[in-house]
Amino acid sequence: MEGEEMQFHAADGALAESGTSKSNEASLQKKHQAMIGRLSNRHQSRTGGSGGNSTRSAEDDNSVSTAASFATKFSESKRSIHSLIANSSSVDPSALRSHLDGISSSIAALEQLVAESSYSLPSYELRSALKSVAELKQAVENQSAELLPKKKFSFRNKSAATATKFPAAVQPKDPGLPKQQPPVLVIRDSPGLRNAKEVTLTKNFRGLGIGEFTVADLDGCEVRLIGCINALFFNRLRNCRVYTGPVIGSVLIEQVENCVFVLASHQIRIHNAIGCDFYLRVRSRPIIEDCSRVRFAPYCLRYEGIEKELKEAGLGDESGNWANVDDFKWLRAVPSPNWSVLEESQRIECFEINESIDGNENTRTD
């Protein structure tokens, strides 16, 4: 599967080069279609079997389908944008700025597609897509610098200027190309715990069949979540402590400050976190973006039945990835200053949930 993904990206990158011949382009497009076909056939062969497929097989099938769908949309949009950039030199000068603005809008839409798909994409796919978006932005900036007319400098006649003084007209600033804002992770409108202050919130997912769960707009709260769930979303938390059982899919965290998170998941992505500690067990490398003063340590949570649930979720073994953090906004060769490993002397003790939690209600304790 990884080889096919790398083959797809190689073909996609080759198609984007302006010097590629039509015959090579047709050949690469055939390879791309063949790859998508193989993914589809594999998905059909898995889903067409007997009823003995495991939960993990169903999850893998869904991941293959999602990755293939994203790859197709992303590749088509990327080729279209490259074509528009390549044709910029032939656009009428009076329409050039509008043309480049349109390209920037297309790149923004592509960036939003990546953001919305990030929770279900493998780390390699996500890094490759973000790199491609950055390259497209740079290409537009280069075209703008090369093709847009530069302001002409002229000397002003000082005596004429002082002879008659009129109020200076306010010159509008050159808008240039619209600045692209970093994509915001989408927090789902799912069941959850919201809008609370200085209380303890508990939830037991066992037997409820909840796929996604949101924890949002909390201040000074302690959150305890027991049982397995497919996906968790955290948004706008301050001064909170969060303890969760295993997450089969992804955890997305947005806009948190001075919090402690104890999480176990296959994928964890963190955006806009300040001064937070993360105690993780994670299958892939944790991803941070626009974060500062965040620290990481190994998972430390106990409650009755957690070891069995971790094993069933594919998180029974410690991978050590809690210390292998990717900072997507730090592209230099030196380590990112935005995160660090939490020293053992400063780590919290393993937290244990002893109380009985009702799975049908959100229990609040002042």
Side-chain angles (χ1 to χ4, degrees):
M1 173 63 186
E2 291 181 358
E4 292 173 345
E5 290 174 349
M6 294 179 68
Q7 179 184 7
F8 161 71
H9 284 290
D12 187 36
L15 284 171
E17 296 179 0
S18 59
T20 304
S21 66
K22 291 184 178 180
S23 59
N24 287 338
E25 183 175 346
S27 175
L28 290 171
Q29 286 178 339
K30 289 181 180 179
K31 289 181 180 179
H32 167 62
Q33 294 299 328
M35 189 278 292
I36 296 299
R38 287 195 296 273
L39 288 174
S40 177
N41 291 337
R42 181 179 298 179
H43 175 67
Q44 292 176 1
S45 65
R46 287 177 176 175
T47 57
S50 62
N53 290 335
S54 65
T55 301
R56 182 174 295 181
S57 296
E59 181 184 343
D60 290 343
D61 290 343
N62 184 60
S63 297
V64 169
S65 177
T66 301
S69 175
F70 170 81
T72 300
K73 293 178 182 178
F74 187 87
S75 178
E76 291 174 353
S77 297
K78 182 180 174 182
R79 280 198 296 270
S80 175
I81 293 170
H82 268 297
S83 177
L84 291 171
I85 294 174
N87 293 333
S88 296
S89 58
S90 61
V91 174
D92 186 277
S94 63
L96 183 58
R97 185 175 297 281
S98 176
H99 174 76
L100 293 174
D101 287 350
I103 296 175
S104 295
S105 297
S106 297
I107 295 175
L110 187 63
E111 190 173 31
Q112 185 63 30
L113 172 65
V114 175
E116 292 175 353
S117 305
S118 63
Y119 76 97
S120 61
L121 291 177
S123 296
Y124 169 79
E125 287 280 354
L126 184 60
R127 287 195 297 269
S128 179
L130 290 172
K131 181 181 178 182
S132 295
V133 170
E135 290 172 349
L136 289 172
K137 289 181 179 180
Q138 186 61 51
V140 173
E141 290 180 5
N142 293 342
Q143 288 283 33
S144 177
E146 179 182 349
L147 300 176
L148 287 178
K150 298 178 177 60
K151 289 184 177 180
K152 295 182 179 180
F153 177 81
S154 61
F155 291 97
R156 177 178 295 180
N157 188 319
K158 186 174 182 181
S159 59
T162 56
T164 305
K165 294 184 178 180
F166 294 99
V170 178
Q171 297 295 329
K173 294 182 179 180
D174 183 1
L177 295 177
K179 293 183 178 180
Q180 303 299 330
Q181 298 297 326
V184 177
L185 298 179
V186 178
I187 304 299
R188 306 296 182 87
D189 184 18
S190 57
L193 303 170
R194 297 176 173 87
N195 302 312
K197 185 174 182 179
E198 298 179 356
V199 295
T200 297
L201 305 171
T202 61
K203 187 70 176 180
N204 190 337
F205 298 125
R206 293 168 178 165
L208 297 184
I210 298 177
E212 299 176 349
F213 196 78
T214 297
V215 179
D217 299 302
L218 304 183
D219 188 356
C221 295
E222 182 171 298
V223 179
R224 305 174 183 179
L225 307 178
I226 283 182
C228 292
I229 195 167
N230 291 340
L232 275 177
F233 306 97
F234 297 96
N235 193 21
R236 297 186 297 274
L237 271 59
R238 294 181 68 252
N239 307 315
C240 294
R241 286 179 172 248
V242 178
Y243 308 94
T244 78
V247 180
I248 299 173
S250 299
V251 174
L252 299 183
I253 301 172
E254 170 86 10
Q255 297 181 25
V256 294
E257 183 176 358
N258 296 330
C259 295
V260 174
F261 290 88
V262 181
L263 309 167
S265 179
H266 283 247
Q267 292 183 338
I268 297 176
R269 294 188 168 100
I270 305 164
H271 189 250
N272 275 335
I274 301 174
C276 295
D277 292 341
F278 297 90
Y279 295 79
L280 307 181
R281 179 175 295 184
V282 57
R283 289 287 299 275
S284 59
R285 297 166 68 98
I287 294 170
I288 65 172
E289 187 174 10
D290 295 318
C291 297
S292 63
R293 296 185 290 109
V294 292
R295 304 184 297 182
F296 293 84
Y299 189 63
C300 56
L301 179 65
R302 287 196 300 261
Y303 60 77
E304 185 177 353
I306 188 173
E307 293 300 330
K308 179 181 178 182
E309 291 174 348
L310 286 168
K311 187 175 181 180
E312 291 175 348
L315 296 165
D317 298 325
E318 173 58 70
S319 66
N321 277 330
W322 60 268
N324 298 323
V325 180
D326 284 336
D327 187 347
F328 276 12
K329 284 299 182 71
W330 186 259
L331 304 178
R332 302 179 186 178
V334 297
S336 168
N338 298 318
W339 72 275
S340 62
V341 171
L342 184 58
E343 296 182 8
E344 291 189 21
S345 61
Q346 298 179 353
R347 298 175 186 175
I348 62 174
E349 295 182 359
C350 189
F351 187 80
E352 185 166 2
I353 302 177
N354 293 316
E355 61 196 84
S356 175
I357 297 180
D358 185 352
N360 298 319
E361 296 182 359
N362 301 330
T363 305
R364 300 187 177 210
T365 306
D366 293 328

Tab-separated table of all heavy atoms in Angstrom, residues 74 78 81-82 85 100 103-112 114 129-145 177-184 289-290 328-329 331:
chain	number	residue	atom	x	y	z
A	74	PHE	N	-7.306	15.650	-4.688
A	74	PHE	CA	-6.132	16.508	-4.509
A	74	PHE	C	-5.321	16.583	-5.798
A	74	PHE	O	-4.875	17.654	-6.214
A	74	PHE	CB	-5.271	15.962	-3.369
A	74	PHE	CG	-4.123	16.861	-3.004
A	74	PHE	CD1	-4.291	17.884	-2.086
A	74	PHE	CD2	-2.872	16.692	-3.584
A	74	PHE	CE1	-3.242	18.721	-1.747
A	74	PHE	CE2	-1.819	17.522	-3.256
A	74	PHE	CZ	-2.005	18.539	-2.336
A	78	LYS	N	-4.638	19.926	-7.938
A	78	LYS	CA	-3.249	20.354	-8.051
A	78	LYS	C	-2.852	20.538	-9.515
A	78	LYS	O	-2.206	21.529	-9.881
A	78	LYS	CB	-2.339	19.329	-7.374
A	78	LYS	CG	-0.864	19.694	-7.399
A	78	LYS	CD	-0.046	18.620	-6.714
A	78	LYS	CE	1.445	18.885	-6.860
A	78	LYS	NZ	2.258	17.815	-6.246
A	81	ILE	N	-4.418	23.729	-10.863
A	81	ILE	CA	-3.731	24.933	-10.391
A	81	ILE	C	-2.398	25.114	-11.110
A	81	ILE	O	-2.030	26.226	-11.510
A	81	ILE	CB	-3.534	24.864	-8.863
A	81	ILE	CG1	-4.891	24.939	-8.160
A	81	ILE	CG2	-2.623	25.985	-8.377
A	81	ILE	CD1	-4.835	24.641	-6.674
A	82	HIS	N	-1.659	24.032	-11.293
A	82	HIS	CA	-0.399	24.114	-12.029
A	82	HIS	C	-0.632	24.633	-13.452
A	82	HIS	O	0.155	25.431	-13.973
A	82	HIS	CB	0.270	22.743	-12.080
A	82	HIS	CG	1.230	22.494	-10.961
A	82	HIS	ND1	2.370	23.234	-10.782
A	82	HIS	CD2	1.211	21.586	-9.955
A	82	HIS	CE1	3.021	22.796	-9.718
A	82	HIS	NE2	2.337	21.797	-9.194
A	85	ILE	N	-1.210	28.355	-13.324
A	85	ILE	CA	0.044	29.072	-13.083
A	85	ILE	C	0.883	29.127	-14.353
A	85	ILE	O	1.457	30.167	-14.706
A	85	ILE	CB	0.828	28.401	-11.938
A	85	ILE	CG1	0.069	28.553	-10.611
A	85	ILE	CG2	2.227	29.001	-11.809
A	85	ILE	CD1	0.688	27.794	-9.453
A	100	LEU	N	-4.388	35.825	-10.895
A	100	LEU	CA	-3.573	35.317	-9.792
A	100	LEU	C	-4.381	35.210	-8.501
A	100	LEU	O	-4.182	34.284	-7.703
A	100	LEU	CB	-2.358	36.221	-9.588
A	100	LEU	CG	-1.330	36.213	-10.723
A	100	LEU	CD1	-0.249	37.251	-10.473
A	100	LEU	CD2	-0.703	34.835	-10.892
A	103	ILE	N	-6.218	32.009	-8.637
A	103	ILE	CA	-5.350	30.870	-8.322
A	103	ILE	C	-5.167	30.749	-6.811
A	103	ILE	O	-5.217	29.651	-6.242
A	103	ILE	CB	-3.985	31.021	-9.022
A	103	ILE	CG1	-4.156	30.973	-10.543
A	103	ILE	CG2	-3.027	29.923	-8.566
A	103	ILE	CD1	-2.873	31.224	-11.303
A	104	SER	N	-4.969	31.884	-6.144
A	104	SER	CA	-4.800	31.861	-4.688
A	104	SER	C	-6.046	31.314	-3.994
A	104	SER	O	-5.949	30.579	-3.007
A	104	SER	CB	-4.495	33.271	-4.175
A	104	SER	OG	-3.252	33.721	-4.664
A	105	SER	N	-7.210	31.663	-4.518
A	105	SER	CA	-8.454	31.134	-3.942
A	105	SER	C	-8.538	29.622	-4.127
A	105	SER	O	-8.992	28.893	-3.232
A	105	SER	CB	-9.661	31.811	-4.597
A	105	SER	OG	-9.669	33.196	-4.336
A	106	SER	N	-8.085	29.139	-5.281
A	106	SER	CA	-8.089	27.692	-5.526
A	106	SER	C	-7.133	26.979	-4.578
A	106	SER	O	-7.427	25.885	-4.086
A	106	SER	CB	-7.693	27.409	-6.980
A	106	SER	OG	-8.636	27.955	-7.880
A	107	ILE	N	-5.985	27.596	-4.316
A	107	ILE	CA	-5.031	27.004	-3.381
A	107	ILE	C	-5.617	26.975	-1.974
A	107	ILE	O	-5.443	26.005	-1.226
A	107	ILE	CB	-3.702	27.781	-3.407
A	107	ILE	CG1	-3.029	27.634	-4.773
A	107	ILE	CG2	-2.762	27.282	-2.311
A	107	ILE	CD1	-1.775	28.471	-4.940
A	108	ALA	N	-6.332	28.047	-1.604
A	108	ALA	CA	-6.972	28.081	-0.284
A	108	ALA	C	-7.995	26.955	-0.151
A	108	ALA	O	-8.106	26.312	0.900
A	108	ALA	CB	-7.638	29.435	-0.062
A	109	ALA	N	-8.754	26.704	-1.218
A	109	ALA	CA	-9.735	25.613	-1.190
A	109	ALA	C	-9.034	24.263	-1.070
A	109	ALA	O	-9.503	23.360	-0.361
A	109	ALA	CB	-10.591	25.657	-2.456
A	110	LEU	N	-7.904	24.123	-1.761
A	110	LEU	CA	-7.142	22.875	-1.675
A	110	LEU	C	-6.588	22.682	-0.269
A	110	LEU	O	-6.598	21.572	0.275
A	110	LEU	CB	-6.000	22.914	-2.700
A	110	LEU	CG	-5.188	21.629	-2.869
A	110	LEU	CD1	-6.070	20.503	-3.388
A	110	LEU	CD2	-4.022	21.857	-3.822
A	111	GLU	N	-6.131	23.763	0.333
A	111	GLU	CA	-5.613	23.702	1.700
A	111	GLU	C	-6.716	23.316	2.681
A	111	GLU	O	-6.494	22.560	3.629
A	111	GLU	CB	-5.013	25.054	2.071
A	111	GLU	CG	-4.227	25.052	3.363
A	111	GLU	CD	-3.512	26.364	3.587
A	111	GLU	OE1	-4.017	27.406	3.139
A	111	GLU	OE2	-2.446	26.345	4.215
A	112	GLN	N	-7.919	23.819	2.445
A	112	GLN	CA	-9.046	23.460	3.302
A	112	GLN	C	-9.399	21.984	3.156
A	112	GLN	O	-9.756	21.314	4.133
A	112	GLN	CB	-10.261	24.331	2.954
A	112	GLN	CG	-11.456	24.131	3.873
A	112	GLN	CD	-11.149	24.513	5.306
A	112	GLN	OE1	-10.329	25.391	5.558
A	112	GLN	NE2	-11.798	23.856	6.253
A	114	VAL	N	-7.300	19.606	2.556
A	114	VAL	CA	-6.298	18.887	3.348
A	114	VAL	C	-6.648	18.943	4.830
A	114	VAL	O	-6.578	17.938	5.539
A	114	VAL	CB	-4.896	19.480	3.101
A	114	VAL	CG1	-3.868	18.812	4.014
A	114	VAL	CG2	-4.488	19.306	1.648
A	129	ALA	N	0.957	16.293	1.169
A	129	ALA	CA	-0.056	17.242	0.697
A	129	ALA	C	0.265	18.660	1.154
A	129	ALA	O	0.160	19.617	0.382
A	129	ALA	CB	-1.439	16.819	1.193
A	130	LEU	N	0.669	18.814	2.412
A	130	LEU	CA	1.012	20.140	2.918
A	130	LEU	C	2.222	20.718	2.191
A	130	LEU	O	2.283	21.920	1.911
A	130	LEU	CB	1.289	20.064	4.426
A	130	LEU	CG	0.068	19.808	5.309
A	130	LEU	CD1	0.500	19.566	6.746
A	130	LEU	CD2	-0.910	20.966	5.244
A	131	LYS	N	3.173	19.870	1.871
A	131	LYS	CA	4.345	20.329	1.121
A	131	LYS	C	3.933	20.805	-0.271
A	131	LYS	O	4.413	21.840	-0.761
A	131	LYS	CB	5.369	19.202	1.013
A	131	LYS	CG	6.632	19.601	0.255
A	131	LYS	CD	7.606	18.442	0.163
A	131	LYS	CE	8.839	18.841	-0.643
A	131	LYS	NZ	9.790	17.707	-0.781
A	132	SER	N	3.024	20.067	-0.912
A	132	SER	CA	2.560	20.461	-2.243
A	132	SER	C	1.834	21.801	-2.199
A	132	SER	O	2.011	22.648	-3.087
A	132	SER	CB	1.626	19.384	-2.811
A	132	SER	OG	2.317	18.177	-3.033
A	133	VAL	N	1.013	22.011	-1.169
A	133	VAL	CA	0.302	23.285	-1.036
A	133	VAL	C	1.296	24.432	-0.866
A	133	VAL	O	1.152	25.500	-1.473
A	133	VAL	CB	-0.681	23.236	0.154
A	133	VAL	CG1	-1.236	24.624	0.451
A	133	VAL	CG2	-1.828	22.276	-0.143
A	134	ALA	N	2.321	24.214	-0.046
A	134	ALA	CA	3.336	25.253	0.161
A	134	ALA	C	4.066	25.576	-1.143
A	134	ALA	O	4.367	26.745	-1.436
A	134	ALA	CB	4.328	24.805	1.230
A	135	GLU	N	4.346	24.555	-1.942
A	135	GLU	CA	5.022	24.774	-3.222
A	135	GLU	C	4.136	25.557	-4.191
A	135	GLU	O	4.621	26.409	-4.947
A	135	GLU	CB	5.422	23.433	-3.828
A	135	GLU	CG	6.548	22.739	-3.066
A	135	GLU	CD	6.800	21.328	-3.570
A	135	GLU	OE1	5.966	20.825	-4.366
A	135	GLU	OE2	7.818	20.732	-3.171
A	136	LEU	N	2.839	25.277	-4.176
A	136	LEU	CA	1.919	26.024	-5.034
A	136	LEU	C	1.868	27.496	-4.627
A	136	LEU	O	1.856	28.395	-5.477
A	136	LEU	CB	0.518	25.407	-4.961
A	136	LEU	CG	0.338	24.039	-5.630
A	136	LEU	CD1	-1.041	23.475	-5.309
A	136	LEU	CD2	0.527	24.139	-7.134
A	137	LYS	N	1.830	27.751	-3.327
A	137	LYS	CA	1.829	29.141	-2.856
A	137	LYS	C	3.084	29.875	-3.310
A	137	LYS	O	3.024	31.026	-3.750
A	137	LYS	CB	1.736	29.171	-1.330
A	137	LYS	CG	0.394	28.764	-0.765
A	137	LYS	CD	0.425	28.870	0.749
A	137	LYS	CE	-0.905	28.496	1.360
A	137	LYS	NZ	-0.877	28.590	2.838
A	138	GLN	N	4.221	29.183	-3.204
A	138	GLN	CA	5.474	29.805	-3.608
A	138	GLN	C	5.486	30.085	-5.105
A	138	GLN	O	5.987	31.125	-5.557
A	138	GLN	CB	6.650	28.894	-3.231
A	138	GLN	CG	8.018	29.513	-3.485
A	138	GLN	CD	8.232	30.781	-2.681
A	138	GLN	OE1	8.029	30.797	-1.469
A	138	GLN	NE2	8.631	31.859	-3.340
A	139	ALA	N	4.916	29.169	-5.883
A	139	ALA	CA	4.871	29.359	-7.333
A	139	ALA	C	4.037	30.585	-7.699
A	139	ALA	O	4.393	31.349	-8.608
A	139	ALA	CB	4.300	28.106	-8.002
A	140	VAL	N	2.918	30.789	-6.991
A	140	VAL	CA	2.088	31.965	-7.255
A	140	VAL	C	2.832	33.245	-6.875
A	140	VAL	O	2.782	34.251	-7.589
A	140	VAL	CB	0.753	31.869	-6.487
A	140	VAL	CG1	-0.035	33.159	-6.613
A	140	VAL	CG2	-0.077	30.720	-7.019
A	141	GLU	N	3.524	33.208	-5.755
A	141	GLU	CA	4.299	34.385	-5.347
A	141	GLU	C	5.376	34.713	-6.374
A	141	GLU	O	5.617	35.889	-6.684
A	141	GLU	CB	4.924	34.134	-3.975
A	141	GLU	CG	3.922	34.088	-2.833
A	141	GLU	CD	4.585	33.826	-1.493
A	141	GLU	OE1	5.835	33.785	-1.459
A	141	GLU	OE2	3.865	33.667	-0.494
A	142	ASN	N	6.013	33.688	-6.907
A	142	ASN	CA	7.045	33.912	-7.922
A	142	ASN	C	6.452	34.535	-9.182
A	142	ASN	O	7.033	35.458	-9.773
A	142	ASN	CB	7.741	32.594	-8.263
A	142	ASN	CG	8.552	32.050	-7.102
A	142	ASN	OD1	8.871	32.777	-6.161
A	142	ASN	ND2	8.879	30.771	-7.150
A	143	GLN	N	5.293	34.029	-9.603
A	143	GLN	CA	4.636	34.583	-10.785
A	143	GLN	C	4.214	36.030	-10.544
A	143	GLN	O	4.323	36.881	-11.427
A	143	GLN	CB	3.407	33.737	-11.148
A	143	GLN	CG	3.730	32.383	-11.746
A	143	GLN	CD	4.147	32.481	-13.207
A	143	GLN	OE1	4.756	33.449	-13.629
A	143	GLN	NE2	3.825	31.478	-13.982
A	144	SER	N	3.730	36.303	-9.356
A	144	SER	CA	3.312	37.660	-9.027
A	144	SER	C	4.489	38.624	-9.092
A	144	SER	O	4.391	39.724	-9.645
A	144	SER	CB	2.684	37.686	-7.631
A	144	SER	OG	2.343	39.001	-7.257
A	145	ALA	N	5.618	38.204	-8.515
A	145	ALA	CA	6.804	39.062	-8.518
A	145	ALA	C	7.336	39.283	-9.931
A	145	ALA	O	7.866	40.350	-10.257
A	145	ALA	CB	7.888	38.440	-7.640
A	177	LEU	N	-1.570	39.778	-3.377
A	177	LEU	CA	-2.300	38.517	-3.323
A	177	LEU	C	-2.890	38.328	-1.938
A	177	LEU	O	-2.270	38.674	-0.936
A	177	LEU	CB	-1.347	37.352	-3.637
A	177	LEU	CG	-0.786	37.355	-5.059
A	177	LEU	CD1	0.196	36.212	-5.215
A	177	LEU	CD2	-1.892	37.240	-6.082
A	178	PRO	N	-4.080	37.781	-1.844
A	178	PRO	CA	-4.686	37.592	-0.526
A	178	PRO	C	-3.864	36.629	0.313
A	178	PRO	O	-3.412	35.604	-0.169
A	178	PRO	CB	-6.069	36.993	-0.861
A	178	PRO	CG	-5.911	36.393	-2.214
A	178	PRO	CD	-4.911	37.253	-2.935
A	179	LYS	N	-3.670	37.013	1.576
A	179	LYS	CA	-2.908	36.147	2.465
A	179	LYS	C	-3.759	34.956	2.868
A	179	LYS	O	-4.914	35.090	3.233
A	179	LYS	CB	-2.467	36.921	3.711
A	179	LYS	CG	-1.447	38.011	3.406
A	179	LYS	CD	-0.985	38.685	4.685
A	179	LYS	CE	0.065	39.746	4.395
A	179	LYS	NZ	0.527	40.416	5.627
A	180	GLN	N	-3.145	33.795	2.811
A	180	GLN	CA	-3.863	32.579	3.153
A	180	GLN	C	-3.731	32.312	4.647
A	180	GLN	O	-2.628	32.257	5.186
A	180	GLN	CB	-3.293	31.389	2.363
A	180	GLN	CG	-3.327	31.596	0.860
A	180	GLN	CD	-4.734	31.778	0.348
A	180	GLN	OE1	-5.671	31.237	0.924
A	180	GLN	NE2	-4.888	32.539	-0.716
A	181	GLN	N	-4.852	32.183	5.309
A	181	GLN	CA	-4.828	31.868	6.720
A	181	GLN	C	-4.630	30.372	6.901
A	181	GLN	O	-5.087	29.576	6.087
A	181	GLN	CB	-6.149	32.292	7.379
A	181	GLN	CG	-6.404	33.783	7.311
A	181	GLN	CD	-5.360	34.583	8.050
A	181	GLN	OE1	-4.846	34.140	9.072
A	181	GLN	NE2	-5.023	35.761	7.531
A	182	PRO	N	-3.933	29.958	7.962
A	182	PRO	CA	-3.750	28.528	8.178
A	182	PRO	C	-5.087	27.841	8.372
A	182	PRO	O	-6.011	28.409	8.962
A	182	PRO	CB	-2.904	28.471	9.472
A	182	PRO	CG	-3.119	29.793	10.124
A	182	PRO	CD	-3.340	30.777	9.012
A	183	PRO	N	-5.241	26.636	7.840
A	183	PRO	CA	-6.522	25.949	7.952
A	183	PRO	C	-6.877	25.655	9.395
A	183	PRO	O	-6.019	25.369	10.216
A	183	PRO	CB	-6.283	24.642	7.175
A	183	PRO	CG	-4.809	24.440	7.219
A	183	PRO	CD	-4.211	25.819	7.199
A	184	VAL	N	-8.148	25.752	9.702
A	184	VAL	CA	-8.632	25.476	11.048
A	184	VAL	C	-9.224	24.082	11.073
A	184	VAL	O	-9.997	23.707	10.201
A	184	VAL	CB	-9.701	26.507	11.471
A	184	VAL	CG1	-10.247	26.170	12.849
A	184	VAL	CG2	-9.113	27.913	11.447
A	289	GLU	N	0.837	22.000	15.348
A	289	GLU	CA	0.877	23.130	14.420
A	289	GLU	C	0.444	24.386	15.167
A	289	GLU	O	-0.557	24.373	15.883
A	289	GLU	CB	-0.049	22.873	13.230
A	289	GLU	CG	0.066	23.913	12.134
A	289	GLU	CD	-0.754	23.546	10.904
A	289	GLU	OE1	-1.551	22.591	10.990
A	289	GLU	OE2	-0.603	24.214	9.878
A	290	ASP	N	1.227	25.447	15.033
A	290	ASP	CA	0.941	26.709	15.720
A	290	ASP	C	0.855	26.500	17.234
A	290	ASP	O	-0.054	27.015	17.899
A	290	ASP	CB	-0.360	27.332	15.199
A	290	ASP	CG	-0.256	27.744	13.741
A	290	ASP	OD1	0.784	28.306	13.368
A	290	ASP	OD2	-1.205	27.486	12.977
A	328	PHE	N	4.588	20.803	12.139
A	328	PHE	CA	4.390	21.122	10.730
A	328	PHE	C	4.684	22.582	10.396
A	328	PHE	O	4.709	22.948	9.234
A	328	PHE	CB	2.956	20.775	10.316
A	328	PHE	CG	2.793	19.331	9.939
A	328	PHE	CD1	3.780	18.406	10.208
A	328	PHE	CD2	1.646	18.894	9.312
A	328	PHE	CE1	3.640	17.081	9.862
A	328	PHE	CE2	1.487	17.563	8.955
A	328	PHE	CZ	2.491	16.661	9.238
A	329	LYS	N	4.869	23.428	11.391
A	329	LYS	CA	5.225	24.813	11.120
A	329	LYS	C	6.715	25.080	11.356
A	329	LYS	O	7.154	26.220	11.307
A	329	LYS	CB	4.381	25.751	11.995
A	329	LYS	CG	2.936	25.909	11.519
A	329	LYS	CD	2.887	26.502	10.117
A	329	LYS	CE	1.459	26.709	9.631
A	329	LYS	NZ	0.751	27.794	10.316
A	331	LEU	N	10.183	24.021	9.764
A	331	LEU	CA	10.762	23.326	8.623
A	331	LEU	C	12.288	23.354	8.621
A	331	LEU	O	12.912	22.915	7.661
A	331	LEU	CB	10.236	23.954	7.325
A	331	LEU	CG	8.709	23.978	7.183
A	331	LEU	CD1	8.308	24.655	5.888
A	331	LEU	CD2	8.131	22.578	7.266
